[in-house]
Amino acid sequence: MRLVLLAAVLAIPSIAHAQFEIQDSHSTASFRGIHAIGQGVAWASGTEGTVLRTTDDGKTWQRCATPPDAEKLDFRGIQAFDQNTAIVMSSGKGDLSRLYKTTDACKTWKLVFTNPDKEGFWDAVIGAPDPTHPDTDYSGRVVGDPVDGKFTLLHPFVINLPGFGISKSLKRIRTNENNRQQAPEPLPLPGESLFAASNSSLIELPPYGFAFATGGSIPKPRVISSICYMFGHLGECNTHVSEVPMASGPSAGIFSLAYRTMLEDCPTQAQIEEFRRTNKNLLISEPHCNTRILFVAVGGDYAEHERKIGTAARTEETIKTFREPGDRWQAAQTPPTATAAP
């Protein structure tokens, strides 16, 4: 099967030019997950326990060793951290949803976690290893389809405690009565689900937040975000749920989320120095850049590849108002077509 890679994107706020290059994976697998981390390094994952890796911008793709007992797994998501370290996620009912990790350029893999919910289905994973202990330490989040009337939000955590060995846990992200410690959890609507699409239905919102996108047989797809603020040893989390004007239905919804932070009207160093010289009021902050955050959602109906309506939407927020997607989503005026690549 062939892979389509975005070779170059010029990050201009009003105009974006992209050049695509078709590359041959030399594999019969169907690929769903991909993660390019720069400097020529990218990883891809797919059916039949297949994981690929390139370190030369896709000129050559290395077929990785198949993780243990994963010959029939469908690897829908992969997150790489460098050319040697990556987490791969399989999607499937119950224990067919798993996390494997490699630290030796995918020569070997270790099974890190297995889905404990018999009716569960994992859709996306995010996280990072500890660079000081890359062989063991890892902390992240997993999101999956609803189970028992609740979204599946998990916190996989692995740490190497010197003198005590390796400690592993797969905690559920929950909220206590005071809405503290962990992210609040809105309930799913009847017929609402997530899509295991390229591991991008879940994104991080720095410094302590995340957002995930839904779809299914609901009036409109939703984006559910949680931003946490730390006050010393205490943390407070706020959840925001927004409806997005995109296609919905049994095979429709939001497949992918992304955002970009843009700085505008930044003061010069001379202006900052002049402010410091003339202003003696400590309650007035120094001149600073205006910050805009552009959120983009793409998706559609995978059962209707030619459908153009309801395949993309965007919203813009500012740091002064929101750090997460708000309620000002607008459907794309010229939406992309959800046609599969040749």
Side-chain angles (χ1 to χ4, degrees):
M1 184 175 180
R2 289 181 290 179
L3 299 173
V4 181
L5 293 186
L6 181 62
V9 174
L10 301 180
I12 303 175
S14 59
I15 302 175
H17 301 283
Q19 181 179 356
F20 290 89
E21 180 182 345
I22 304 294
Q23 297 182 348
D24 198 330
S25 67
H26 301 288
S27 171
T28 59
S30 174
F31 290 94
R32 189 73 65 91
I34 192 165
H35 190 191
I37 60 175
Q39 296 183 338
V41 179
W43 298 65
S45 63
T47 57
E48 302 169 358
T50 306
V51 180
L52 304 181
R53 170 180 169 272
T54 180
T55 57
D56 56 9
D57 284 319
K59 295 181 179 64
T60 57
W61 286 90
Q62 167 199 352
R63 171 68 185 260
C64 295
T66 302
D69 301 318
E71 295 82 2
K72 296 182 179 180
L73 294 183
D74 186 0
F75 286 133
R76 300 276 184 100
I78 190 164
Q79 183 168 19
F81 308 106
D82 53 47
Q83 64 178 0
N84 297 317
T85 309
I87 293 283
V88 66
M89 179 201 73
S90 63
S91 295
K93 187 175 180 179
D95 61 7
L96 296 181
S97 289
R98 305 174 193 172
L99 295 181
Y100 291 89
K101 181 181 178 182
T102 182
T103 59
D104 59 4
C106 69
K107 297 181 181 66
T108 61
W109 296 86
K110 292 182 180 179
L111 176 63
V112 184
F113 288 107
T114 299
N115 187 2
D117 298 319
K118 293 182 179 179
E119 301 300 320
F121 187 102
W122 288 355
D123 296 287
V125 58
I126 55 176
D130 184 337
T132 61
H133 301 89
D135 190 47
T136 53
D137 290 7
Y138 167 77
S139 179
R141 291 187 179 95
V142 170
V143 66
D145 288 345
V147 175
D148 295 330
K150 295 182 180 180
F151 286 112
T152 300
L153 295 170
L154 303 173
H155 175 52
F157 185 83
V158 182
I159 186 170
N160 185 11
L161 299 173
F164 295 91
I166 298 176
S167 174
K168 300 199 314 180
S169 66
L170 191 63
K171 297 181 179 179
R172 299 188 184 279
I173 300 176
R174 294 287 185 261
T175 269
N176 64 11
E177 294 179 356
N178 296 322
N179 195 31
R180 294 181 182 274
Q181 294 183 348
Q182 296 290 356
E185 182 187 6
L187 296 179
L189 301 174
E192 189 171 22
S193 61
L194 288 84
F195 292 90
S198 301
N199 203 47
S200 53
S201 58
L202 170 70
I203 59 173
E204 287 188 282
L205 298 177
Y208 306 110
F210 64 92
F212 63 92
T214 73
S217 299
I218 56 179
K220 291 182 180 179
R222 302 197 297 173
V223 171
I224 299 170
S225 58
S226 175
I227 294 291
C228 298
Y229 304 89
M230 302 302 294
F231 306 97
H233 296 292
L234 297 177
E236 181 173 351
C237 301
N238 298 319
T239 289
H240 186 83
V241 181
S242 58
E243 292 186 337
V244 183
M246 289 176 55
S248 62
S251 55
I254 300 173
F255 302 158
S256 183
L257 281 177
Y259 75 92
R260 186 177 70 179
T261 301
M262 296 167 286
L263 301 179
E264 300 177 332
D265 303 324
C266 294
T268 64
Q269 186 61 36
Q271 290 173 324
I272 295 176
E273 292 176 356
E274 175 65 14
F275 173 88
R276 292 173 178 173
R277 186 180 64 83
T278 59
N279 181 67
K280 304 303 180 182
N281 189 346
L282 298 179
L283 297 178
I284 301 177
S285 61
E286 292 184 355
H288 58 274
C289 302
N290 294 325
T291 305
R292 288 193 302 130
I293 305 178
L294 172 64
F295 291 92
V296 176
V298 297
D301 191 332
Y302 66 76
E304 299 182 24
H305 296 303
E306 299 296 333
R307 181 175 178 175
K308 294 185 178 180
I309 299 176
T311 56
R314 58 175 280 167
T315 184
E316 289 190 19
E317 310 297 339
T318 67
I319 290 297
K320 292 182 180 179
T321 56
F322 296 105
R323 292 176 183 268
E324 68 268 30
D327 298 312
R328 298 182 290 180
W329 286 95
Q330 295 180 339
Q333 295 181 357
T334 308
T337 303
T339 303

